[in-house]
Amino acid sequence: LQDKNGGIYLFKPAPGDFAAPQAAKAYHELAKVLGVDSVPVDIITKDGATGSIQPYLPVKADLSSKDLSTLSNAQLGSLMKEIALDWLTSNEDSKPDNFVELEDGSIIGVDKEQAFKNISPNQQLDAQTKQLKTKLFEMLKGSPEKRKAAEESLDSFFSNLKDISDTDYAKYTEGYIESRGLDKDAEKKLRESILHRKHNIKHDFNNLFSALE
């Protein structure tokens, strides 16, 4: 799609799946308050189809073949915060192909429609991030400087998250939860799982870094 000013946008229709665009929008709204670079997402209806819309990105390459040791500390910090947000929202599509380097050198994640879909207190961090985590944390294990930069970026993320009350946090996910069309008990369970992840994410990452010792 193209607007009147020449801006190019990507429209992702989601026929029969109203939760997917709501998930992407909720992810972006949380990213803004948590200091995570994110693709702006909105929801529109075009030609009878409802879906998400976002600006087209000037992508240089994705991270599938990137040597992560060549990332600058700023790039690494962005990547770590987005990985944390992926875990916070249980985005199970955080594979290397869905992290891209833009022409200006910044790192950003794409395709967040799977956020919250399978969130559960019993979900394991290693399974959720295995496609990227293994390569990334092996690199961190061998570089104290990079590990320090990664941990500092996460400190900022966790500080921002701590400043959000549970009541305010719930507002960011309300549209998504309603779009699922769940019964009362399932909706209650989903809300509890979302807050459980919020309360425990720092502990999850502390365990992850402890494994690097």
Side-chain angles (χ1 to χ4, degrees):
L1 300 179
Q2 190 168 7
D3 65 19
K4 61 182 180 181
N5 297 316
I8 301 176
Y9 293 81
L10 175 64
F11 175 57
K12 294 183 177 182
D17 185 8
F18 299 114
Q22 288 286 353
K25 183 176 181 180
Y27 186 102
H28 172 62
E29 294 300 320
L30 281 172
K32 287 194 295 185
V33 297
L34 292 171
V36 180
D37 292 334
S38 174
V39 184
V41 174
D42 208 343
I43 298 173
I44 66 169
T45 299
K46 179 176 174 58
D47 299 330
T50 298
S52 61
I53 187 169
Q54 60 192 56
Y56 179 80
L57 299 176
V59 174
K60 182 178 179 181
D62 64 47
L63 298 190
S64 59
S65 58
K66 180 80 170 180
D67 179 356
L68 299 183
S69 68
T70 66
L71 293 176
S72 69
N73 286 351
Q75 290 175 320
L76 177 61
S78 294
L79 178 59
M80 288 305 304
K81 286 191 285 187
E82 187 136 16
I83 286 174
L85 183 54
D86 277 347
W87 176 240
L88 179 67
T89 61
S90 186
N91 174 44
E92 294 185 317
D93 203 16
S94 56
K95 56 188 178 182
D97 307 48
N98 283 342
F99 290 89
V100 298
E101 181 179 359
L102 303 185
E103 293 291 350
D104 65 3
S106 57
I107 301 292
I108 198 167
V110 297
D111 294 345
K112 306 300 184 179
E113 287 82 6
Q114 298 300 310
F116 303 108
K117 185 175 182 179
N118 295 311
I119 194 166
S120 163
N122 299 319
Q123 193 175 16
Q124 298 298 308
L125 180 62
D126 287 77
Q128 195 266 340
T129 61
K130 63 182 179 181
Q131 295 186 73
L132 181 63
K133 183 189 73 65
T134 300
K135 185 166 66 168
L136 175 62
F137 279 80
E138 279 300 311
M139 183 273 288
L140 294 180
K141 189 174 183 179
S143 174
E145 178 190 354
K146 294 291 187 184
R147 175 176 173 173
K148 181 180 178 182
E151 290 180 319
E152 287 176 350
S153 69
L154 289 177
D155 286 343
S156 171
F157 177 89
F158 294 137
S159 177
N160 290 337
L161 181 60
K162 185 178 179 181
D163 288 341
I164 305 174
S165 69
D166 286 354
T167 300
D168 287 340
Y169 188 79
K171 295 175 183 177
Y172 292 105
T173 60
E174 191 61 31
Y176 170 76
I177 293 172
E178 291 180 355
S179 73
R180 289 284 298 270
L182 302 171
D183 62 40
K184 188 174 181 179
D185 289 342
E187 187 174 289
K188 180 176 181 289
K189 184 177 180 180
L190 177 57
R191 294 181 194 278
E192 290 173 348
S193 293
I194 288 172
L195 284 180
H196 180 275
R197 184 64 54 83
K198 175 180 183 282
H199 298 158
N200 289 276
I201 184 172
K202 186 172 182 180
H203 174 73
D204 294 338
F205 271 81
N206 284 343
N207 286 343
L208 194 58
F209 274 93
S210 293
L212 296 180
E213 301 294 345

